[in-house]
Amino acid sequence: MKTIVSTTSVTCLSRRYQPHHHHHHATSINRMTSTTQNSSSSSSSSSKLRQFIHKFTLSSSPSKQTNNNSILPQRRQVTTTAASATSDGNNGKNNDDEEASTKYKIPPDDISVFVTRPDAPSISLSPSRTQVLYSHKPKDNPPVAELARKELKLGGIRIDTKQNSSSRMGHTVKLSIGKFPKTEADIGAYEDITGLPENGLINFVSWSPNGKKLAFTVRFHGDEHEDEDESPSSSATGRKPLELWIADVATKSAQKITSLAENYQLNTIFESYSWLNDDELLCCVIPKDRPKNAPKRPKTPLGPRIESNVAGNVRQARTYADLLKNDTDEKLFEYYCESQLVKTNIKTNKTTMWCNGEKKIFTRVDPSPCGKYVILECLKRPFSYAVPCGRFPKKVWVAEASTDKFLREICDLPLAENIPIVSNSTRVGPRGVNWRPDKEATLYWTECQDEGDPRNEVGEGNPRDISYLVDFTKPTAETDAPKAFYKSGLRLSGYAWGCDDLSIAYENWYKTRTSRVAPFSPKENAEKDSYASTPISDEEKQNILWERNYEDSYGDPGGFVTRRTDLGTYVLARVEGETPLGEGTATGKTGAKLLLQGSGANPKGNRPFFDIFDVDTGKAKRLWRSPKKEKLFSCGSLLSDYGENGEEQITLQTMRILTTKQSPSEYVQYYETSFDYKSGEDAKYALNTDNGDSNIVEEFEKERVEGPCVLPVRETKISNFPHPHPQLSDPPKEIIKYKRDDGVELNGTLYTPPGYDAKRDGPLPLLIWAYPREFKNAESASQLRESPFRFTGISPQSSLVWLARGYAVLDGPALPIIAQGDDDDAEPNDTYVQQLVAGAKAAVDEVVRRGVADKDRVAVGGHSYGAFMAANLLAHAPDLFCCAVARSGAYNRTLTPFGFQAEERSFWEAPDVYSKMSPFNNAHLVKKPILLIHGEDDPNSGTNVMQSERFFAALKGNGAQAKLVVLPHENHGYRGLESVLHVMAETSEWLDEHCKVKRV
């Protein structure tokens, strides 16, 4: 059935739920609201929304509704509030102590409306760029009951034992296919894929190499009662391992691969499936002889858990979650993670065992570009109780796809518990084992030369890393000595592959924040005698495209654009034929004209660009830049690189790219943009400007960008997604700039409610929502990295929802923590508290100076490291804020003794820094109310729920006004619908109470 996306109908559905705005200035209520409905209409809409929320949450839970403002959860929620510091006693008791609740709350109607906003489908282009795949996501968050399902936490991962997959997977609810839009009638026109089971949940979607098929998995929510039985469901729509399905793009019909489904069950914990070619796939399946029942934990332990370091080795690790703890955990890890590999032919519907039916913990199955060879990777014993499974012993080898014959072992790495905690540390041995995308079957990898520790000196001219390759198309590949093809003076971070004559290497060094980008010839280097054993020559050191401070956003030259190949891979896009920089060649070491695209950060706000770059000279010409209008244009991928007949020549005359356009009130839409380049008109193009805007190339860019050659463009709109929250579609916003006391320039985005006027309406309560960031120098810290024309998207957990409640919001103000001094060893956190307070004070003072904020009603909040910030500000800047909201934070740095965020030193190396930065140590200084919210199952390194529990106990013990909300079954971020609503409700109550907002 053909479907046309109706923007009007979707938008109207949202507009049924208009928020009813209130404000403490009664005389300005009507001016400050964007709704045009009368109060009775708005009340009716709110009632419908509340009914919808109740229906959704109650239908997902056996609990019964007890009142109009709460929902019973699956597990007890613990929320307690400490006695106020001004309490009059009453035998040490306070009514707040009785607030421990077992009920979820629903927030006010004007903000709960943001929970049910429709999302635009995500899109994926077919290899030929002629078809568009639309993946439709569910409109609503899952219920907490779904998150509450049993999961095993083993080796740093979480496993759904019923599905033999990762737990808490997101999903797509529907797939649709339409042709690439060429006319207005084509926009949003698609046909749903048929044949899918009702209520199926879709994951792992991919195009076949030729784009004629789609592969994906299907699973089901099942019945909650199934969780009582440990074995997978026998029901057709029960909870069990995922099924592999294939859809025919031409007919838009799908069917299950029966030869696979009838004989095997997928194991998708680490891998799911991989296309070998247009007809064959390799799949990870549960071993045929695996026992029905998983290992059982003994009721009584057989003995104590013992870990030993009697050898006195140095083994440092961050505070990882969900690690193995005992022998039973090890057995369970093996039980669920072990797989066998099978080969499925979708043309003949035959499935056969592959790799001799060996049972291993396969973590990677990666076919070569030609599909004839496969990289295989597995984990093995001995396991670790100190680090996650990514550091377990690992074996990597290559096998032949057609015969599953073992060809060559690449590495057999031991347990890696000894990787240093400092940045640029790495595992010893081959890493980054991959196929070259420009070759049929050439394998490459990198090996460190400093024992993986950047603190080790390697000597002048000696490399930090060396990369090697082996060509598996040669008959002697099994025994050929690996050929070194690149040596890096810094830590190698990756490659942009082009061809034998020209590829690009990326190196970086954290201590100095240095990024280095260098062109090289893989073939030329690999053919040199003793290349690996000779020092890096002066010529090689000088052969770089640029070396820069990667924190300097203004100096970012952008990233290289890639193109699709006939192998189905992506390599550097080379422009052929006439260009403003001379003739471009398709191959060869010289004459390479590449494409660069970047965000275009500058002091006035991001203006993305599209440049053509001459590798020979290191100079660029600007072909396009986001116009100086009240819209933000951005470049995406090439559209003219590949067609129905395969690879296509890239020229400026025929080039088409995918672009996006947005504004603060207009949702992001996609466009097909074509350039109109004509021979001999470079001089005219050099004069092209945007309505007198001469800054097509900024002054600070002119060293690397010779000048503009701005080409005329033709735009064709290809999407028409609806506005996700029309009830608050255009809140006024402004990027404001101000200075810290020490002269460091700062910025932030200030939002106000629609219709607000500071002179007329007076100052508002203000919420500052922030996340500090470390920098090496003040120049980089002061840069603006945002556009005033970016769409104002508001999610349920965004700070911007409070605009609907009459608050002003300063979102993302820069709070840089800058290393003091020019010494490479200077660390930002040595003066963390002083700089944090100085930045916050500057932000508050500026918004108050503008008359937007009432200085006595300023709240601060943040998530994760932002929560850590908020707690510190209440302790060290008590006069700035009236209250704080801290979500999923860490407050005691001694509980993360081997580093956190960008801090590389351990607690024992910098005890004063850890102590001064810990709000827990300064709980006695917190005199303003603070709301702590945390997910009960937070797996994030450093933010275990214990952090909030201990901090709350410290606050309570010192008489601070505090409240702790622990969300059952939630992780570092919150997904359950009841949880999201409850967080909004708690935050609304907290802000309204402590910012003294009067509702009329």
Side-chain angles (χ1 to χ4, degrees), residues 250-297:
T251 64
K252 316 295 188 300
S253 61
Q255 59 183 6
K256 187 192 309 182
I257 302 178
T258 55
S259 66
L260 179 65
E262 292 171 0
N263 297 285
Y264 303 95
Q265 293 181 309
L266 289 179
N267 185 343
T268 58
I269 292 174
F270 289 114
E271 276 280 4
S272 54
Y273 66 88
S274 299
W275 288 97
L276 277 176
N277 50 56
D278 294 327
D279 298 321
E280 294 181 309
L281 304 97
L282 284 181
C283 308
C284 280
V285 298
I286 296 171
K288 290 283 286 184
D289 62 351
R290 189 176 82 174
K292 180 180 178 180
N293 296 320
K296 299 286 187 181
R297 299 188 186 279

Coordinates of all heavy atoms in Angstrom, one line a residue, residues 250-297:
A250 N 12.3 -4.5 -4.8 CA 11.4 -4.2 -5.9 C 9.9 -4.5 -5.5 O 9.0 -3.7 -5.9 CB 11.8 -5.1 -7.1
T251 N 9.7 -5.6 -4.8 CA 8.3 -6.0 -4.5 C 7.8 -5.5 -3.2 O 6.6 -5.5 -2.8 CB 8.2 -7.5 -4.5 OG1 9.0 -8.1 -3.5 CG2 8.6 -8.1 -5.8
K252 N 8.7 -4.9 -2.4 CA 8.4 -4.4 -1.0 C 7.9 -5.5 -0.1 O 7.0 -5.2 0.8 CB 7.5 -3.2 -1.1 CG 7.7 -2.2 -2.2 CD 9.0 -1.4 -1.9 CE 9.2 -0.3 -2.9 NZ 9.2 -0.6 -4.3
S253 N 8.3 -6.7 -0.3 CA 7.8 -7.8 0.5 C 8.9 -8.5 1.3 O 10.0 -8.5 0.8 CB 7.0 -8.8 -0.4 OG 7.9 -9.4 -1.3
A254 N 8.6 -9.0 2.4 CA 9.6 -9.6 3.3 C 9.2 -11.0 3.7 O 8.0 -11.3 3.8 CB 9.8 -8.7 4.5
Q255 N 10.3 -11.8 4.0 CA 10.0 -13.1 4.5 C 11.2 -13.6 5.3 O 12.3 -13.1 5.2 CB 9.8 -14.1 3.3 CG 10.9 -14.3 2.4 CD 10.6 -15.2 1.2 OE1 9.5 -15.7 1.1 NE2 11.6 -15.5 0.4
K256 N 10.8 -14.5 6.3 CA 11.8 -15.0 7.2 C 12.7 -16.0 6.4 O 12.2 -16.7 5.5 CB 11.1 -15.7 8.3 CG 12.0 -16.2 9.4 CD 11.2 -17.2 10.4 CE 9.9 -16.6 10.8 NZ 9.2 -17.5 11.8
I257 N 14.0 -16.1 6.8 CA 14.9 -17.1 6.2 C 14.6 -18.4 6.9 O 15.1 -18.7 8.0 CB 16.3 -16.7 6.3 CG1 16.6 -15.4 5.6 CG2 17.2 -17.8 5.7 CD1 18.0 -14.9 5.7
T258 N 13.7 -19.2 6.3 CA 13.3 -20.4 7.0 C 14.3 -21.5 7.3 O 14.3 -22.1 8.3 CB 12.1 -21.1 6.2 OG1 12.6 -21.4 4.9 CG2 10.9 -20.2 6.2
S259 N 15.3 -21.6 6.4 CA 16.3 -22.6 6.6 C 17.2 -22.3 7.8 O 17.7 -23.1 8.5 CB 17.2 -22.7 5.4 OG 18.0 -21.5 5.1
L260 N 17.3 -21.0 8.1 CA 18.0 -20.5 9.3 C 17.1 -20.7 10.5 O 17.5 -21.2 11.6 CB 18.5 -19.1 9.1 CG 19.2 -18.5 10.3 CD1 20.5 -19.2 10.5 CD2 19.4 -17.0 10.0
A261 N 15.9 -20.2 10.4 CA 15.0 -20.1 11.6 C 14.6 -21.5 12.1 O 14.4 -21.7 13.3 CB 13.7 -19.3 11.2
E262 N 14.5 -22.5 11.2 CA 14.0 -23.8 11.6 C 15.1 -24.7 12.2 O 14.9 -25.7 12.8 CB 13.4 -24.5 10.3 CG 12.1 -23.9 9.8 CD 11.7 -24.5 8.5 OE1 12.4 -25.4 8.0 OE2 10.6 -24.1 8.0
N263 N 16.4 -24.2 12.0 CA 17.5 -25.0 12.5 C 18.4 -24.4 13.5 O 19.2 -25.0 14.2 CB 18.3 -25.5 11.3 CG 17.5 -26.4 10.3 OD1 17.3 -27.5 10.6 ND2 17.2 -25.8 9.2
Y264 N 18.4 -23.0 13.5 CA 19.3 -22.3 14.4 C 18.6 -21.1 15.0 O 17.5 -20.7 14.6 CB 20.5 -21.8 13.6 CG 21.3 -22.9 12.8 CD1 21.0 -23.2 11.5 CD2 22.3 -23.6 13.5 CE1 21.7 -24.2 10.8 CE2 23.0 -24.6 12.8 CZ 22.7 -24.9 11.5 OH 23.3 -25.9 10.8
Q265 N 19.3 -20.6 16.0 CA 18.8 -19.3 16.6 C 20.0 -18.3 16.7 O 21.1 -18.7 17.0 CB 18.3 -19.6 18.0 CG 17.0 -20.4 18.1 CD 16.5 -20.7 19.5 OE1 17.3 -21.1 20.4 NE2 15.3 -20.4 19.8
L266 N 19.7 -17.1 16.3 CA 20.7 -16.1 16.2 C 21.3 -15.8 17.6 O 20.5 -15.7 18.6 CB 20.2 -14.8 15.6 CG 19.9 -14.8 14.1 CD1 19.4 -13.5 13.7 CD2 21.2 -15.2 13.3
N267 N 22.6 -15.5 17.7 CA 23.2 -15.0 18.9 C 23.8 -13.6 18.5 O 24.7 -13.5 17.8 CB 24.4 -15.9 19.4 CG 25.0 -15.4 20.7 OD1 24.8 -14.3 21.1 ND2 25.7 -16.3 21.3
T268 N 23.1 -12.6 19.0 CA 23.4 -11.2 18.5 C 24.1 -10.4 19.6 O 24.1 -9.2 19.5 CB 22.2 -10.5 18.0 OG1 21.2 -10.5 19.1 CG2 21.6 -11.2 16.8
I269 N 24.7 -11.0 20.6 CA 25.3 -10.3 21.7 C 26.5 -9.4 21.2 O 26.6 -8.3 21.5 CB 25.8 -11.2 22.8 CG1 24.6 -11.8 23.5 CG2 26.7 -10.5 23.8 CD1 24.9 -12.9 24.5
F270 N 27.3 -10.0 20.3 CA 28.5 -9.3 19.8 C 28.3 -9.1 18.3 O 28.7 -8.0 17.8 CB 29.8 -10.1 20.0 CG 30.2 -10.0 21.4 CD1 30.3 -11.2 22.2 CD2 30.6 -8.9 22.1 CE1 30.7 -11.2 23.5 CE2 31.0 -8.8 23.4 CZ 31.0 -10.0 24.1
E271 N 27.9 -10.1 17.5 CA 27.7 -10.0 16.1 C 26.3 -10.5 15.7 O 25.7 -11.3 16.5 CB 28.7 -10.8 15.4 CG 30.1 -10.0 15.1 CD 30.0 -9.1 14.0 OE1 28.9 -8.9 13.4 OE2 31.1 -8.5 13.7
S272 N 25.8 -10.1 14.6 CA 24.5 -10.6 14.2 C 24.7 -11.4 12.8 O 24.6 -12.6 12.8 CB 23.5 -9.5 14.0 OG 24.0 -8.5 13.2
Y273 N 24.9 -10.6 11.8 CA 25.1 -11.2 10.5 C 26.0 -10.3 9.6 O 26.1 -9.1 9.9 CB 23.8 -11.5 9.7 CG 23.1 -10.3 9.4 CD1 23.3 -9.6 8.2 CD2 22.2 -9.7 10.2 CE1 22.7 -8.5 7.8 CE2 21.5 -8.5 9.9 CZ 21.8 -7.9 8.7 OH 21.1 -6.7 8.4
S274 N 26.6 -10.8 8.6 CA 27.4 -10.0 7.6 C 27.1 -10.5 6.2 O 27.1 -11.7 6.0 CB 28.9 -10.1 7.9 OG 29.2 -9.6 9.2
W275 N 26.9 -9.6 5.3 CA 26.8 -9.9 3.9 C 28.1 -10.4 3.3 O 29.1 -9.6 3.4 CB 26.3 -8.7 3.0 CG 24.9 -8.4 3.2 CD1 24.4 -7.4 4.1 CD2 23.7 -8.9 2.6 NE1 23.0 -7.3 4.0 CE2 22.6 -8.2 3.1 CE3 23.5 -9.9 1.7 CZ2 21.3 -8.5 2.6 CZ3 22.3 -10.2 1.2 CH2 21.1 -9.5 1.7
L276 N 28.2 -11.6 2.7 CA 29.4 -12.0 2.0 C 29.3 -11.5 0.5 O 30.3 -11.0 0.0 CB 29.5 -13.5 2.0 CG 30.1 -14.2 3.2 CD1 30.0 -15.7 3.0 CD2 31.5 -13.8 3.4
N277 N 28.2 -11.6 0.0 CA 27.9 -11.1 -1.4 C 26.4 -10.8 -1.5 O 25.7 -10.8 -0.5 CB 28.4 -12.1 -2.4 CG 27.9 -13.5 -2.1 OD1 26.7 -13.8 -2.0 ND2 28.8 -14.5 -1.9
D278 N 25.9 -10.7 -2.7 CA 24.5 -10.4 -2.9 C 23.5 -11.5 -2.4 O 22.3 -11.3 -2.2 CB 24.2 -10.0 -4.3 CG 24.9 -8.8 -4.8 OD1 25.0 -7.9 -3.9 OD2 25.3 -8.7 -5.9
D279 N 24.0 -12.7 -2.3 CA 23.2 -13.9 -2.0 C 23.5 -14.6 -0.7 O 22.7 -15.3 -0.2 CB 23.3 -14.9 -3.1 CG 22.8 -14.4 -4.5 OD1 21.8 -13.6 -4.5 OD2 23.4 -14.7 -5.5
E280 N 24.7 -14.3 -0.1 CA 25.1 -15.1 1.0 C 25.4 -14.2 2.2 O 26.0 -13.1 2.1 CB 26.3 -15.9 0.7 CG 26.1 -17.0 -0.3 CD 27.3 -17.8 -0.6 OE1 28.4 -17.2 -0.9 OE2 27.3 -19.1 -0.6
L281 N 25.1 -14.7 3.4 CA 25.4 -14.1 4.6 C 26.0 -15.0 5.6 O 25.7 -16.2 5.6 CB 24.1 -13.5 5.3 CG 23.2 -12.6 4.5 CD1 22.1 -13.3 3.8 CD2 22.6 -11.4 5.4
L282 N 26.9 -14.5 6.5 CA 27.4 -15.3 7.6 C 26.7 -14.8 8.8 O 26.5 -13.6 9.1 CB 28.9 -15.0 7.8 CG 29.8 -15.7 6.8 CD1 31.3 -15.4 7.1 CD2 29.7 -17.2 6.8
C283 N 26.2 -15.8 9.6 CA 25.4 -15.5 10.8 C 26.0 -16.1 12.1 O 26.5 -17.2 12.0 CB 24.0 -16.0 10.6 SG 23.2 -15.4 9.1
C284 N 25.9 -15.4 13.2 CA 26.3 -16.0 14.5 C 25.1 -16.6 15.1 O 24.0 -16.0 15.2 CB 26.8 -14.9 15.4 SG 28.5 -14.4 15.1
V285 N 25.2 -17.9 15.5 CA 24.1 -18.6 16.0 C 24.4 -19.3 17.4 O 25.6 -19.5 17.7 CB 23.5 -19.7 15.1 CG1 23.1 -19.1 13.8 CG2 24.6 -20.7 14.8
I286 N 23.4 -19.5 18.1 CA 23.6 -20.3 19.4 C 24.1 -21.7 19.1 O 23.6 -22.3 18.2 CB 22.3 -20.3 20.2 CG1 21.9 -18.9 20.6 CG2 22.5 -21.2 21.4 CD1 20.5 -18.8 21.2
P287 N 25.1 -22.2 19.8 CA 25.6 -23.5 19.5 C 24.5 -24.6 19.5 O 23.7 -24.5 20.4 CB 26.7 -23.8 20.6 CG 27.2 -22.4 20.9 CD 26.0 -21.5 20.8
K288 N 24.5 -25.5 18.6 CA 23.5 -26.5 18.5 C 23.4 -27.4 19.7 O 22.3 -27.8 20.2 CB 23.7 -27.4 17.3 CG 23.4 -26.7 15.9 CD 22.0 -26.5 15.6 CE 21.4 -27.8 15.2 NZ 19.9 -27.7 14.8
D289 N 24.6 -27.6 20.3 CA 24.6 -28.5 21.5 C 24.7 -27.8 22.8 O 25.0 -28.4 23.8 CB 25.8 -29.5 21.4 CG 27.2 -28.7 21.4 OD1 27.1 -27.5 21.3 OD2 28.2 -29.4 21.4
R290 N 24.3 -26.5 22.8 CA 24.3 -25.8 24.1 C 23.2 -26.4 25.0 O 22.1 -26.6 24.6 CB 24.1 -24.3 23.9 CG 24.3 -23.5 25.1 CD 24.1 -22.0 24.9 NE 22.7 -21.6 24.9 CZ 22.4 -20.3 24.8 NH1 23.3 -19.4 24.7 NH2 21.1 -20.0 24.7
P291 N 23.5 -26.7 26.3 CA 22.5 -27.2 27.2 C 21.3 -26.2 27.3 O 21.5 -25.0 27.1 CB 23.3 -27.2 28.5 CG 24.7 -27.3 28.2 CD 24.9 -26.5 26.9
K292 N 20.2 -26.8 27.5 CA 19.0 -26.0 27.6 C 19.0 -25.0 28.7 O 18.6 -23.8 28.6 CB 17.7 -26.9 27.7 CG 16.4 -26.2 27.8 CD 15.2 -27.1 28.0 CE 13.9 -26.3 28.1 NZ 12.8 -27.2 28.2
N293 N 19.5 -25.4 29.9 CA 19.6 -24.5 31.0 C 20.9 -23.9 31.2 O 22.0 -24.6 31.1 CB 19.1 -25.3 32.3 CG 17.7 -25.8 32.2 OD1 16.8 -25.1 31.7 ND2 17.5 -27.0 32.6
A294 N 21.0 -22.7 31.6 CA 22.2 -22.0 31.9 C 22.8 -22.4 33.2 O 22.0 -22.9 34.1 CB 22.0 -20.5 31.9
P295 N 24.1 -22.2 33.4 CA 24.7 -22.6 34.7 C 23.9 -21.9 35.9 O 23.5 -20.7 35.7 CB 26.1 -22.1 34.6 CG 26.4 -22.1 33.1 CD 25.1 -21.7 32.5
K296 N 23.8 -22.6 37.0 CA 23.1 -22.0 38.1 C 24.1 -21.5 39.2 O 25.1 -22.1 39.3 CB 22.2 -23.1 38.8 CG 21.1 -23.7 37.9 CD 20.0 -22.7 37.7 CE 18.9 -23.3 36.9 NZ 17.8 -22.3 36.6
R297 N 23.7 -20.5 39.8 CA 24.5 -20.0 40.9 C 24.3 -20.9 42.1 O 23.1 -21.1 42.5 CB 24.2 -18.5 41.2 CG 24.5 -17.5 40.1 CD 24.3 -16.1 40.6 NE 24.4 -15.2 39.4 CZ 25.5 -14.8 38.9 NH1 26.7 -15.2 39.5 NH2 25.6 -13.9 37.9

